[in-house]
């Protein structure tokens, strides 16, 4: 089958939740007949009803078993999955296997772990079945209107699916689809995993800034919405998805109650506990495994974990002598944040805050890209970095026009495929912006600490910039301790010309055994 002649006219959507249902209608609007499959028949009925309202109801059908589902498709059969991560995908694949033939295509659009993707690719390749690990970003709204799509597979398979994926993908301001040849094997799901790690770092920094504006500066939601609006309209945060939705969140009122919706939202992020979300955990595990310091990502994740168990926090609070210990009783803190003192020029401080958030977002991006670079070498993903950044150009949660397009795209577009290492921190333009943001970040963190604000991502970014730019760390004392009790060896100052992470050549007998 010639890939340039291939057009997907029919596909099966397996999994019809908010993401799968949205994508099903999006494919239908682009001329593809979609056969729905989901154990919840009401879910399929809801998708079809919504499609009818959009005028494409005749493009969808529902199926209760794999036999009728597969009979409804052309050859080769094409399946798009929108499933929870883990064993469900294995169960679905096993059920489909008796009906699959050489050349059939599976596009797994769930937030799956990349190792599961590669294991299934290995199982499918023996039957000549094509399996694409395809990260999808942008939330359920983007799934319906055009998401960022991050596919990984062999080149021939990508040539078959990309024409259709380009039709439904988000488009950047120039009209270019936000989908591309990201890499081979599990590259698509790996890069989507790191995307989500970056996302968590950015979200934490913005939430920390909101808290400072709300309590530290005593600003109203309307005032904060105007600030986010301004940040999104100009400067380094222009066109940053998480900034513009922050504006909307601060302005949204429930028409039924007349109250601002944000005022009713509890401080619990529970997706890591409930199993809905694994990517944040995996991205941090990968950072540690690849020896990449990624504190903006990691501390943001610890905040998520702490927030999720409000019962635990309330119990600890009572132990510290504050509150009743009942999670829903009151909203307070042992160390409550205070109104910031000494802010004579609020506009100047808000500029410090804007630059602090930008610096943390840029640091999160850098940390994520370094993890991907290390994994690319270790797992032979053959990542196309210019294509990956195009995927993140629009339709995704970490869309940040200045960071991805102005700073990083020129670096990675000129990168040689044989480059030993690409580290954004080695690039003068990135270094210049991080250095420029440092003083602003330091002011904000200092005020945050002084006022007892929760600022993990912002403060971790500050420390990151300090230790990643220093060759005089306190770890010489740390190394001496290791040598004292463990005979772990050390390098003498001035002797280590290369500075590589290798075992030192010296030991001192600090205390005879």
């Amino acid at each position: 089958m010639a890939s340039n002649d291939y057009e997907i006219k029919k596909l099966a959507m397996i999994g019809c939740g908010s993401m799968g249902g949205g994508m099903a209608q999006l494919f239908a609007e682009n001329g593809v007949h979609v056969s729905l499959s989901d154990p919840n028949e009401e879910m399929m009925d809801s998708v079809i009803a919504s499609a009818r309202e959009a005028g494409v109801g005749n493009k969808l059908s529902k199926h209760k078993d794999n036999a009728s589902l597969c009979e409804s498709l052309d050859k080769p059969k094409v399946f798009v999955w929108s499933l929870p991560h883990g064993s469900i995908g294995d169960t679905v694949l096993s059920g489909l296997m008796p009906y699959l033939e050489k050349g059939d295509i599976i596009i797994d659009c769930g937030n799956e772990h990349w190792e599961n993707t590669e294991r299934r690719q290995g199982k499918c390749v023996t039957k000549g079945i094509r399996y694409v690990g395809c990260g999808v970003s942008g939330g359920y709204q983007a799934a319906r209107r055009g998401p960022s799509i991050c596919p990984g597979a062999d080149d021939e398979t990508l040539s078959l699916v990309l024409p259709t994926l380009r039709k439904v993908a988000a488009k950047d301001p120039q009209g270019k689809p936000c989908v591309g040849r990201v890499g081979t094997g599990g590259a698509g799901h790996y890069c989507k995993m790191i995307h989500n790690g970056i996302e968590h770092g950015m979200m934490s920094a913005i939430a920390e800034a909101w808290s400072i504006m709300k309590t530290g500066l005593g600003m109203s939601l309307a005032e904060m919405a105007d600030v986010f609006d301004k940040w999104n309209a100009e400067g380094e945060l222009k066109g940053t998805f998480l900034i513009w939705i922050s504006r909307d969140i601060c302005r949204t009122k429930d028409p039924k109650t007349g109250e601002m919706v944000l005022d009713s939202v509890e401080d619990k992020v529970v997706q890591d506990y409930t199993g809905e979300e694994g990517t944040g955990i995996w991205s941090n595990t990968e950072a540690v495994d690849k020896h990449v310091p990624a504190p903006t990502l990691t501390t943001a994740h610890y905040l998520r974990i702490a927030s999720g168990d409000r019962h635990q926090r309330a119990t600890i609070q009572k132990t510290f002598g504050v509150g009743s210990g009942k999670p829903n009783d009151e909203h307070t803190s042992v160390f409550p944040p205070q109104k910031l003192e000494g802010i004579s020029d609020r506009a100047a401080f808000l500029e410090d805050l804007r630059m602090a958030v930008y610096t943390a977002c840029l640091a999160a991006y850098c940390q994520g890209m370094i993890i991907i670079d290390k994994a690319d070498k270790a797992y032979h993903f053959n990542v196309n970095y210019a294509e990956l950044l195009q995927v993140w150009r629009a339709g995704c949660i970490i869309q940040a026009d200045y960071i991805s397009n102005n700073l990083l795209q020129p670096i990675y577009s000129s990168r040689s495929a044989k480059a030993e290492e690409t580290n954004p921190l080695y690039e003068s333009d990135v270094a210049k912006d991080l250095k420029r943001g440092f003083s602003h970040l330091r002011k904000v963190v200092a005020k945050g600490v002084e006022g007892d604000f929760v600022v993990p991502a912002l403060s971790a970014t500050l420390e990151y910039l300090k230790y990643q730019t220093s060759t005089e760390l306190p770890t010489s004392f740390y190394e001496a301790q290791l040598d004292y009790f463990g005979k772990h060896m050390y390098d003498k100052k001035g002797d280590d010309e290369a500075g590589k992470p290798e075992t030192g050549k010296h030991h001192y007998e600090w205390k005879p055994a």
Side-chain angles (χ1 to χ4, degrees):
M1 175 174 52
S3 59
N4 56 351
D5 296 330
Y6 182 60
E7 180 183 0
I8 297 174
K9 296 181 179 179
K10 294 182 179 180
L11 62 79
M13 176 62 68
I14 300 182
C16 298
S18 59
M19 293 294 288
M23 285 190 291
Q25 294 176 70
L26 184 61
F27 280 117
E29 286 179 340
N30 282 271
V32 180
H33 185 278
V34 182
S35 300
L36 303 178
S37 175
D38 194 288
N40 187 333
E41 189 171 354
E42 290 182 2
M43 198 86 75
M44 293 190 284
D45 290 339
S46 175
V47 174
I48 291 172
S50 179
R52 287 195 184 113
E53 290 179 9
V56 291
N58 62 329
K59 286 285 187 180
L60 279 76
S61 59
K62 66 177 182 179
H63 301 266
K64 299 180 181 180
D65 58 76
N66 286 331
S68 68
L69 180 71
C70 292
E71 286 173 6
S72 72
L73 303 175
D74 292 333
K75 292 188 178 182
K77 296 183 287 293
V78 179
F79 303 84
V80 177
W81 291 3
S82 183
L83 302 170
H85 64 83
S87 61
I88 292 177
D90 296 315
T91 301
V92 170
L93 181 58
S94 295
L96 286 174
M97 270 297 184
Y99 304 95
L100 297 181
E101 301 170 301
K102 182 178 180 180
D104 288 347
I105 302 170
I106 296 170
I107 307 173
D108 182 354
C109 291
N111 268 336
E112 187 55 271
H113 192 284
W114 68 275
E115 289 181 319
N116 287 339
T117 303
E118 293 203 333
R119 176 171 50 77
R120 292 175 195 151
Q121 286 172 333
K123 183 176 182 179
C124 287
V125 75
T126 59
K127 289 191 66 172
I129 300 161
R130 302 177 185 276
Y131 192 108
V132 182
C134 187
V136 174
S137 179
Y140 70 94
Q141 297 100 333
R144 179 67 185 86
R145 302 299 174 191
S148 164
I149 302 176
C150 188
D154 63 274
D155 203 50
E156 186 177 290
T157 298
L158 290 178
S159 293
L160 293 171
V161 302
L162 276 172
T164 301
L165 295 182
R166 289 188 184 111
K167 291 180 182 179
V168 299
K171 308 300 187 291
D172 71 11
Q174 288 71 46
K176 187 176 180 182
C178 294
V179 62
R181 299 174 185 273
V182 171
T184 56
H189 276 145
Y190 192 97
C191 292
K192 175 55 167 60
M193 169 186 73
I194 300 301
H195 163 288
N196 286 19
I198 296 170
E199 168 190 314
H200 298 168
M202 294 174 69
M203 290 175 73
S204 186
I206 296 166
E208 293 161 33
W210 165 77
S211 177
I212 290 172
M213 284 191 281
K214 176 177 180 284
T215 303
L217 299 179
M219 294 173 65
S220 68
L221 285 176
E223 289 175 314
M224 288 185 275
D226 290 343
V227 168
F228 286 129
D229 213 3
K230 183 179 179 181
W231 289 3
N232 182 61
E234 59 190 28
E236 294 83 356
L237 291 171
K238 180 179 179 181
T240 299
F241 174 81
L242 288 167
I243 295 294
W244 86 57
I245 70 167
S246 298
R247 168 203 62 196
D248 293 348
I249 288 168
C250 289
R251 287 180 176 159
T252 301
K253 183 181 291 187
D254 186 340
K256 295 179 181 178
T257 64
E259 297 178 353
M260 303 304 291
V261 177
L262 180 58
D263 289 338
S264 69
V265 178
E266 193 60 275
D267 65 343
K268 290 168 57 182
V269 178
V270 300
Q271 284 77 12
D272 302 298
Y273 287 88
T274 60
E276 296 172 57
E277 179 63 86
T279 51
I281 297 169
W282 306 333
S283 57
N284 284 295
T285 301
E286 280 295 304
V288 174
D289 185 68
K290 299 297 173 291
H291 312 296
V292 176
T296 310
L297 280 56
T298 304
T299 53
H301 194 73
Y302 286 149
L303 179 61
R304 282 167 60 100
I305 294 172
S307 79
D309 194 342
R310 186 174 169 84
H311 170 79
Q312 183 186 70
R313 287 185 283 126
T315 304
I316 294 170
Q317 190 179 73
K318 184 180 179 183
T319 306
F320 274 64
V322 175
S324 64
K326 297 179 180 179
N328 65 340
D329 195 32
E330 51 193 321
H331 295 74
T332 184
S333 174
V334 176
F335 310 107
Q338 307 293 322
K339 184 174 177 60
L340 295 181
E341 302 293 337
I343 306 293
S344 57
D345 187 338
R346 191 169 84 166
F349 184 75
L350 285 172
E351 174 60 12
D352 290 329
L353 195 58
R354 182 187 73 86
M355 283 299 296
V357 169
Y358 164 65
T359 305
C361 289
L362 176 55
Y365 250 93
C366 290
Q367 291 161 24
M369 294 301 286
I370 295 168
I371 298 169
I372 291 172
D373 183 75
K374 297 287 187 183
D376 189 18
K377 305 293 190 302
Y379 305 135
H380 310 290
F381 283 147
N382 304 299
V383 173
N384 185 320
Y385 292 89
E387 294 273 291
L388 174 61
L389 288 169
Q390 176 60 31
V391 167
W392 293 347
R393 187 72 176 85
C396 73
I397 307 301
I398 66 170
Q399 177 184 340
D401 291 352
Y402 180 81
I403 293 174
S404 63
N405 201 48
N406 292 35
L407 276 183
L408 299 183
Q409 188 65 263
I411 294 168
Y412 287 94
S413 294
S414 62
R415 175 186 184 274
S416 167
K418 297 181 180 179
E420 181 179 341
E421 180 181 19
T422 301
N423 186 326
L425 299 181
Y426 296 170
E427 302 296 328
S428 59
D429 286 345
V430 174
K432 181 181 176 182
D433 268 26
L434 290 172
K435 189 174 182 180
R436 183 163 55 88
F438 182 84
S439 62
H440 300 281
L441 184 61
R442 183 175 56 200
K443 288 177 188 176
V444 169
V445 171
K447 282 294 183 184
V449 171
E450 181 183 328
D452 287 328
F453 283 85
V454 176
V455 287
L458 294 175
S459 59
T461 301
L462 181 70
E463 295 303 318
Y464 176 71
L465 293 179
K466 289 193 288 187
Y467 59 67
Q468 282 297 92
T469 60
S470 174
T471 52
E472 189 62 35
L473 296 175
T475 43
S476 55
F477 196 85
Y478 193 146
E479 181 79 329
Q481 290 176 315
L482 287 166
D483 189 59
Y484 184 108
F485 67 75
K487 198 177 181 180
H488 287 288
M489 314 296 284
Y490 62 91
D491 281 314
K492 286 188 175 180
K493 289 186 176 182
D495 288 351
D496 182 22
E497 293 184 8
K500 298 293 185 181
E502 299 169 352
T503 303
K505 301 177 179 63
H506 302 278
H507 165 68
Y508 186 81
E509 194 69 7
W510 305 86
K511 180 181 180 180

